[in-house]
Amino acid sequence: MDKIPMHAPVVEMDGDEMTRVLWQMIKEELIAPFVELQTVYFDLGLKNRDATEDAVTVEAAYAVKKYHVGIKCATITPNADRVREYGLRRMYKSPNGTLRAILDGTVFRTPIPAPCLMPYIRTWKKPITIARHAYGDIYRAVECSAEAGDTAELVVSRQGAEFLRTPIYRFEGAGVVQGAYNKDASIEAFADSCFRFALEEKQDLWFSCKDTISKTYDGRFRDIFARLYEEKYKALFEAEGLSYLYTLIDDAVARAVRSEGGFLWACKNYDGDVMSDMIASGFGSIAMMRSVLVSPSGDREYEAAHGTITRHYRRYLRGEQPSSNPVATIFAWTGGLCWSGKLNGNPQLVRWSCDMEKAVLQTIASGCITKDLLPVYNGTPEVVSSAEFLRRVRESYLSLSGA
Ligand code: NAP
Ligand code: MG
């Protein structure tokens, strides 16, 4: 059988622990036999990040800018324990944070719908995509403690001189203070990418925040979304029969739980962090959540939403065959290669991606699943190891594609 050629390479970012093992297995079992894979490879595994003092992460990010498509394995974000465990030279920043800082853009997370998986929330029939504004707010805030008798004020200087001084609080007892910010340009780029993604995916767009309480800060988000919609997207949305809804975050949560799904929900940074976990678990498993970072210039980085599954890796190192779910990592590959196929006019590669995704869903529908799906599975399941699951996906692919 002839392998499918690629017209341009994609950036491959290897990672850590159990997902690094799955990464290799997926390439051997599902990709290499069918695709003449061309990648520009970066090893973002923690050992190599340490050996390169994290330069490899920065190089990988610039490679995604150059080649327009990146596919990333989950990686360890080191904490104090990891510094000891790996004998690291320093506590490196989160690779995803570094990638986002260089590529900018918005992270879209979508559950992978499999008909035989029953969402914990019974009304959900179609996936809900969360768009998270991955910049600023509490993630870039400064904080400090206050003692009894302290006074906290918000001071803004303009051209070197004090411009505005607003009292925050006079502490009668101990407490805490926080100062957060965001930028109009970042909010606008976020809003723009959400409107564009909604049009591409033909989904309604919701945006929620708390402008009743945060009149200036969250009010700015609401106003930027509203202006961009009126000026640039209203006619396009109406032509597609799509709608844009602004509502308060608490109302959005209540509506989302009662909804059938099938829409794009744009969230501020913290809301997106929390809601994407809620949506993933509500639909069944974090291992069935795909994730893509879309930069303002249209570059895309695909990954799974979960981490390196450390607990399973420890069992793997003891010689067990863990039943870790490789689906989100497979979908990172199919998503990235499908996008590459679309960018480079390669319909064979697009078809391979679609067929491989179908093969995954067919395997699950046949009852063959990993352990995490057991509580939400509707049918008679057979729980298998990751390796066996991948073998079955390959069999499904072969029968489905007639290869
Ligand atoms: P995690 O790797 O997502 O795993 C947490 C738990 O969720 C696992 O122990 C497992 O539960 C379940 N799980 C996650 N993915 C699964 C899969 N594919 N199949 C089956 N079960 C799955 O999160 P973590 O343990 O908090 O973090 C581990 C490491 O990953 C950390 O070093 C963190 O820095 C890193 N991380 C990386 C990323 C990223 O690169 N994007 C994201 C998050 C975390 P059971 O043990 O109950 O089976
Ligand atoms: Mg989170």
Side-chain angles (χ1 to χ4, degrees), residues 270-298:
Y270 175 80
D271 296 341
D273 185 348
V274 177
M275 288 308 152
S276 62
D277 285 274
M278 189 276 282
I279 296 288
S281 317
F283 272 98
S285 169
I286 179 74
M288 295 293 288
M289 188 85 161
R290 63 197 313 182
S291 180
V292 58
L293 171 72
V294 182
S295 84
S297 52

Side-chain angles (χ1 to χ4, degrees), residues 10 31 68-71 112 290-292 300-303 327-343 349-350 352-354 356-357:
V10 295
I31 305 175
H68 311 302
V69 186
I71 303 173
I112 298 160
R290 63 197 313 182
S291 180
V292 58
R300 292 187 171 203
E301 184 251 309
Y302 290 82
E303 62 173 349
V327 170
T329 307
I330 299 172
F331 274 60
W333 276 104
T334 51
L337 292 180
C338 182
W339 187 245
S340 169
K342 284 181 181 162
L343 284 181
L349 195 57
V350 174
W352 172 85
S353 308
C354 291
M356 192 53 79
E357 291 185 359

Side-chain angles (χ1 to χ4, degrees), residues 203-222:
Q203 293 199 331
D204 292 336
L205 175 67
W206 298 10
F207 173 60
S208 58
C209 60
K210 194 74 182 180
D211 64 313
T212 43
I213 301 299
S214 170
K215 291 185 167 51
T216 305
Y217 197 113
D218 281 19
R220 182 69 58 85
F221 280 76
R222 175 206 58 212

Side-chain angles (χ1 to χ4, degrees), residues 94-119:
S94 143
N96 284 46
T98 303
L99 288 164
R100 277 195 295 249
I102 293 169
L103 294 170
D104 198 2
T106 304
V107 176
F108 296 91
R109 295 200 154 174
T110 314
I112 298 160
C116 40
L117 301 182
M118 295 188 305

Side-chain angles (χ1 to χ4, degrees), residues 10 12 94 104 126 130 147 153 165 171 181 184 201 211 263 282 284 325 359 366:
V10 295
E12 172 182 357
S94 143
D104 198 2
K126 291 176 266 178
I130 296 282
E147 298 289 314
E153 294 173 299
R165 180 177 285 265
F171 287 88
Y181 75 94
D184 287 3
E201 301 288 318
D211 64 313
F263 57 92
N325 188 336
S366 77

Side-chain angles (χ1 to χ4, degrees), residues 54-65:
D54 213 18
V56 65
T57 311
V58 175
E59 281 165 26
Y62 283 100
V64 175
K65 272 181 182 273

